[in-house]
Amino acid sequence: MNPSAQIQAFFDEATNTVSYLVADPITRQAAVIDPVLDYEHRSGKVSTTSADRLLAAADEQGLAIAWILETHAHADHLSAAPYLKGKTGARVAIGEHIREVQTLFRPVFHLDDVSGDGSEFDHLLRDGETFRIGSLEVQVMHTPGHTPACVSYRIGDAVFVGDTLFMPDYGTARADFPGGSAQTLYRSIRRLLALPPQTRLFMCHDYKAPGRATHAWESRVADQRARNVHVHDGVDEAAFVAMRQQRDATLAAPALLLPSIQVNIRAGRLPVAESNGVRYLKIPLRLPA
Ligand SMILES: [Fe+2]
């Protein structure tokens, strides 16, 4: 029988990201989902406070981190996957469609060290694939729309949905990044919401909807179906797509879009240091025509 996963959430105030430590209580094997590397854009300062919290929690509980799982190539924070991999030897996995995301963004940054075949990651996950964290079985669901490579991780009655859904009072993620699609996102969401009503859904972000005092990141399929402001039952695909496209047209680029994407499509690897020992990110300038 699949035992219940132990789930701990770690909220990063700076980027509104929720990282998870998911453990098998029997074997003490664990996975980290969507770890954040702390990065101050104004100063270029990088630190590992958030990732160290995850490591300390794993240490305290005698957990061995075997997997680092990304739900997608994030556009709002840098991944701490390489740092955690260096500390634990864990394998880094992401959805196989990361190849498309690499191919889309490699020319944007003129990067010659991005493969386009996903080989920067240790393992590329297919829809329906299963793998284990100790005795826990993880099922991969390809849930594209926010990006082409988004996956959700289903472990027993818990699903880590990435940016496919937000809390019911906040709605859904944007679908206007290159390769994104509101129509595809709607279909992925319906697939998640077809799971049993008591299924627990764990978000990757929370922005505290107006009127809510505290951050939250866990809901159930039934709550989403009843109350999600964008996709409750009764909202059809055409209505969702119209709403999403109209809303996305008003959104500015995320503050860390450019730093995040160029790093995260390299599995979180920072750029190679130049001859002076300093690493530099690239910002493509958009000049007037
Ligand atoms: Fe995202």
Side-chain angles (χ1 to χ4, degrees), residues 12-239:
D12 177 49
E13 292 279 348
T15 64
N16 295 90
T17 301
V18 193
S19 305
Y20 295 96
L21 179 62
V22 181
D24 169 24
I26 296 171
T27 62
R28 317 302 292 165
Q29 295 273 303
V32 167
I33 302 179
D34 292 330
V36 173
L37 184 71
D38 306 297
Y39 168 67
E40 282 179 23
H41 195 44
R42 288 180 205 182
S43 61
K45 189 176 166 215
V46 171
S47 62
T48 58
T49 310
S50 295
D52 287 333
R53 274 199 297 165
L54 287 162
L55 287 173
D59 256 13
E60 273 166 30
Q61 298 163 69
L63 303 176
I65 298 172
W67 286 101
I68 300 158
L69 307 174
E70 301 282 6
T71 54
H72 61 295
H74 303 277
D76 50 24
H77 66 267
L78 276 59
S79 169
Y83 174 72
L84 290 175
K85 180 180 170 161
K87 292 281 182 189
T88 63
R91 303 179 74 204
V92 183
I94 198 166
E96 62 176 343
H97 293 272
I98 190 65
R99 298 183 187 113
E100 289 158 43
V101 180
Q102 288 183 325
T103 307
L104 277 166
F105 282 102
R106 182 171 49 185
V108 172
F109 296 102
H110 198 229
L111 297 174
D112 51 15
D113 62 345
V114 170
S115 66
D117 64 9
S119 55
E120 291 83 350
F121 296 84
D122 298 310
H123 188 68
L124 298 182
L125 299 155
R126 281 174 290 107
D127 183 51
E129 178 173 346
T130 59
F131 65 97
R132 289 189 170 272
I133 304 167
S135 58
L136 297 174
E137 184 174 273
V138 185
Q139 188 195 355
V140 178
M141 297 174 71
H142 181 215
T143 47
H146 171 63
T147 81
C150 290
V151 292
S152 299
Y153 296 100
R154 185 180 184 190
I155 307 173
D157 75 336
V159 186
F160 299 86
V161 301
D163 291 2
T164 307
L165 279 163
F166 291 147
M167 290 301 281
D169 56 3
Y170 200 86
T172 56
R174 64 197 299 172
D176 61 336
F177 294 144
S181 156
Q183 189 179 61
T184 307
L185 178 59
Y186 181 85
R187 292 173 189 180
S188 293
I189 290 170
R190 294 320 315 177
R191 196 174 160 214
L192 287 170
L193 298 188
L195 293 170
Q198 289 310 305
T199 305
R200 296 178 294 160
L201 304 177
F202 292 88
M203 317 294 126
C204 177
H205 291 293
D206 184 62
Y207 303 96
K208 266 199 286 203
R212 175 148 55 81
T214 54
H215 285 291
W217 41 77
E218 180 181 346
S219 67
R220 292 190 187 260
V221 163
D223 303 329
Q224 295 282 0
R225 292 184 62 163
R227 280 185 288 283
N228 186 294
V229 291
H230 294 167
V231 281
H232 59 79
D233 282 359
V235 177
D236 66 14
E237 184 174 303

